[in-house]
């Protein structure tokens, strides 16, 4: 099974990642990995940092002649901004010239400083920063290449930023195609509804002028799964639970909804359940309120998930806070940040979901070499055809 670790401070020398348990003999295209990192850096509403960085990783182990070895894959991403932070962020001797003592409401600042007994909030914010997600996107890019061998694709797009929503009627046809990411990548906010996309940009502009920030909702679509990934037999093997865990762990995510989500509460059972038919030698459901997961297992239909990211807590017009040194009321600390990172978060959700699905594939079909895993997959697909 795939496990992974990420390390690195936002303004430290580098971010690093290690993936353990990745099967051998999968061809890896590093351009694909670096393209995913590029996608994460896009999106209207990002701050100055993305103009400094050009995220690319260098692989240090686990791959030879473009193929995985089954050994841990480790990689490094050098922070270009490091050159501006060498003294403040050194691992050698030194002392901060500008300790931060005014926690931002909504950030990890206050609880983190209390928990780890820090007098300088920078010790918290450097690691709690969403800069860490660059490593998760790299991990996701490896996992996506594994999934591609089984024809499993992961897409995402933005449904809402602030009060501006994509029109479900405008985007419904696109959602049936495999063009979701291609078209979403063309929008400055990854929204498939062009009118809403423009309104979102205007909304972000206005929000920035007001010194404020915005959150939003994105949708992930995972397509091409066989039925039966995950399991109902034990709580921690349920695919929806594992996906929710991975998605909730993304910085500033406050909600995850599967399929019809909370909207299901107002439906009666007869209107909510996806009825089963048998057509052209296979089982079909004509609706997908369950979002592609029943009893903690994939049904074979698209897995559909909505993820909500709250507004970023670093405000240029800061909110009330307390100075941790003097205990006097002060306005919270402000530093360079994004107005919204919802479009980037959309790419990150794909990456967070990918290792979860990859693990469900490995759990079902084996984990050593691609050849063995693919053979087990084909046997299973043949067997369920006749069921
Ligand atoms: C981020 C890098 C950060 C922020 C953002 C995410 O860069 P900096 O702090 O140097 O401006 O743009 O981080 C946050 C929103 C946060 O709350 O920490 C990135 O690479 O994604």
């Amino acid at each position: 099974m795939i496990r992974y670790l990420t390390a690195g401070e936002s303004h430290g020398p580098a971010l690093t990642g290690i993936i353990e348990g990745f099967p051998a003999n999968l061809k890896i295209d590093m351009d694909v990995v670096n393209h995913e990192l590029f996608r994460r850096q896009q999106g209207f509403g990002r701050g100055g940092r993305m103009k400094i960085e050009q995220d690319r990783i260098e692989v240090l182990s686990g791959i030879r002649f473009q193929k995985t070895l089954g050994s841990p894959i480790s990689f490094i991403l050098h922070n270009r901004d490091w050159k501006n932070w060498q003294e403040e962020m050194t691992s050698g001797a030194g002392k901060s010239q500008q300790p931060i003592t005014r926690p931002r409401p909504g950030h990890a600042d206050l609880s983190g400083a209390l928990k780890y007994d820090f007098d300088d909030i920078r010790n918290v914010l450097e690691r709690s920063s969403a800069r860490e997600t660059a490593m998760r996107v790299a991990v996701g890019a490896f996992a996506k290449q594994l999934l591609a061998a089984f024809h499993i694709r992961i897409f995402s797009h933005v449904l809402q930023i602030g009060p501006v929503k994509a029109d479900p009627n405008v985007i419904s046809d696109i959602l049936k195609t495999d063009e979701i990411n291609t078209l979403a990548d063309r929008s400055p906010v990854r929204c498939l509804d062009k009118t809403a996309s423009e309104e979102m940009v205007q909304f972000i502009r206005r929000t920035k002028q007001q010194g404020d920030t915005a959150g939003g909702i994105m949708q992930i679509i995972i397509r091409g799964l066989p039925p039966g990934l995950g399991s109902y037999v034990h709580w921690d093997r349920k695919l929806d639970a594992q996906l929710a865990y991975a998605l909730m762990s993304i910085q500033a995510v406050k909600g995850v909804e599967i399929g019809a989500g909370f909207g299901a509460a107002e439906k009666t059972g007869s209107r909510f359940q996806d009825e089963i038919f048998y057509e052209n030698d296979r089982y079909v459901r004509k609706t997908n309120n369950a979002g592609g997961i029943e009893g903690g297992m994939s049904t074979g239909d698209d897995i559909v998930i909505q993820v909500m990211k709250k507004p970023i807590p670093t405000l240029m017009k800061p909110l009330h806070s307390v100075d941790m040194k003097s205990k006097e009321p002060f306005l919270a600390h402000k530093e360079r940040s994004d107005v919204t990172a919802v479009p980037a978060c959309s790419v990150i959700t794909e990456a967070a979901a990918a290792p979860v699905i990859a693990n469900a594939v490995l759990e079902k079909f084996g984990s050593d070499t691609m050849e063995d895993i693919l053979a087990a997959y084909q046997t299973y697909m043949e067997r369920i055809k006749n069921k």
Side-chain angles (χ1 to χ4, degrees), residues 10-11 40 46 49-50 81 107 129-131 312 336-338:
S10 179
H11 303 101
R40 193 199 73 94
R46 294 285 256 163
R49 179 74 182 273
M50 290 305 107
D81 208 14
H107 210 281
S129 165
R131 178 97 189 113
I312 286 171
R336 180 184 63 195
S337 189
D338 308 318

Side-chain angles (χ1 to χ4, degrees), residues 86-97:
Q86 293 188 29
E87 280 171 28
E88 267 302 305
M89 290 301 296
T90 181
S91 58
K95 192 169 176 282
S96 173
Q97 298 306 304

Side-chain angles (χ1 to χ4, degrees), residues 138-158:
V139 172
F142 285 102
K144 275 186 175 183
Q145 294 190 54
L146 169 62
L147 295 174
F150 303 87
H151 315 291
I152 300 171
R153 294 90 76 196
I154 305 184
F155 309 109
S156 77
H157 63 104
V158 169

Side-chain angles (χ1 to χ4, degrees), residues 323-339:
D323 189 295
M324 291 183 78
K325 211 169 163 190
S326 67
K327 312 291 184 277
E328 293 293 321
F330 270 107
L331 291 177
H333 170 72
K334 61 177 180 183
E335 68 171 42
R336 180 184 63 195
S337 189
D338 308 318
V339 179

Side-chain angles (χ1 to χ4, degrees), residues 123-291:
N123 287 349
V124 178
L125 72 85
E126 283 290 332
R127 182 60 185 161
S128 58
S129 165
R131 178 97 189 113
E132 182 264 347
T133 58
M135 286 299 91
R136 287 203 249 182
V137 167
V139 172
F142 285 102
K144 275 186 175 183
Q145 294 190 54
L146 169 62
L147 295 174
F150 303 87
H151 315 291
I152 300 171
R153 294 90 76 196
I154 305 184
F155 309 109
S156 77
H157 63 104
V158 169
L159 283 173
Q160 184 175 342
I161 292 184
V164 188
K165 297 180 185 175
D167 181 341
N169 297 320
V170 172
I171 65 173
S172 65
D173 283 344
I174 302 173
L175 298 184
K176 291 178 198 139
T177 73
D178 275 10
E179 295 300 299
I180 300 169
N181 276 358
T182 314
L183 296 174
D185 284 352
R186 279 184 205 154
S187 154
V189 285
R190 297 192 51 72
C191 179
L192 297 169
D193 173 347
K194 280 192 182 139
T195 312
S197 179
E198 281 159 27
E199 283 171 22
M200 285 173 186
V201 168
Q202 294 310 328
F203 175 75
I204 295 166
R205 243 185 216 129
R206 285 199 302 279
T207 307
K208 184 179 181 180
Q209 277 162 9
Q210 290 155 7
D212 218 332
T213 58
I217 299 176
M218 52 235 105
Q219 185 173 62
I220 316 170
I221 295 173
I222 309 172
R223 183 165 291 162
L225 296 108
L229 296 186
S231 182
Y232 63 91
V233 301
H234 204 255
W235 65 268
D236 54 356
R237 292 178 59 189
K238 290 174 189 262
L239 193 58
D240 39 6
Q242 294 172 346
L243 284 164
Y245 188 165
L247 293 164
M248 282 296 290
S249 77
I250 298 170
Q251 288 79 344
V253 166
K254 282 289 194 187
V256 175
E257 237 188 28
I258 300 193
F262 290 110
E266 63 194 49
K267 291 191 170 153
T268 55
S270 62
R271 290 187 52 227
F272 174 76
Q273 315 307 337
D274 306 307
E275 289 183 294
I276 302 167
F277 303 88
Y278 196 72
E279 288 173 4
N280 302 323
D281 299 332
R282 56 186 210 102
Y283 299 102
V284 287
R285 294 166 181 81
K286 294 181 182 173
T287 52
N288 190 12
N289 288 322

Side-chain angles (χ1 to χ4, degrees), residues 94-113:
K95 192 169 176 282
S96 173
Q97 298 306 304
Q98 303 134 344
I100 300 169
T101 54
R102 297 170 192 171
R104 289 161 290 179
H107 210 281
D109 294 355
L110 178 56
S111 303

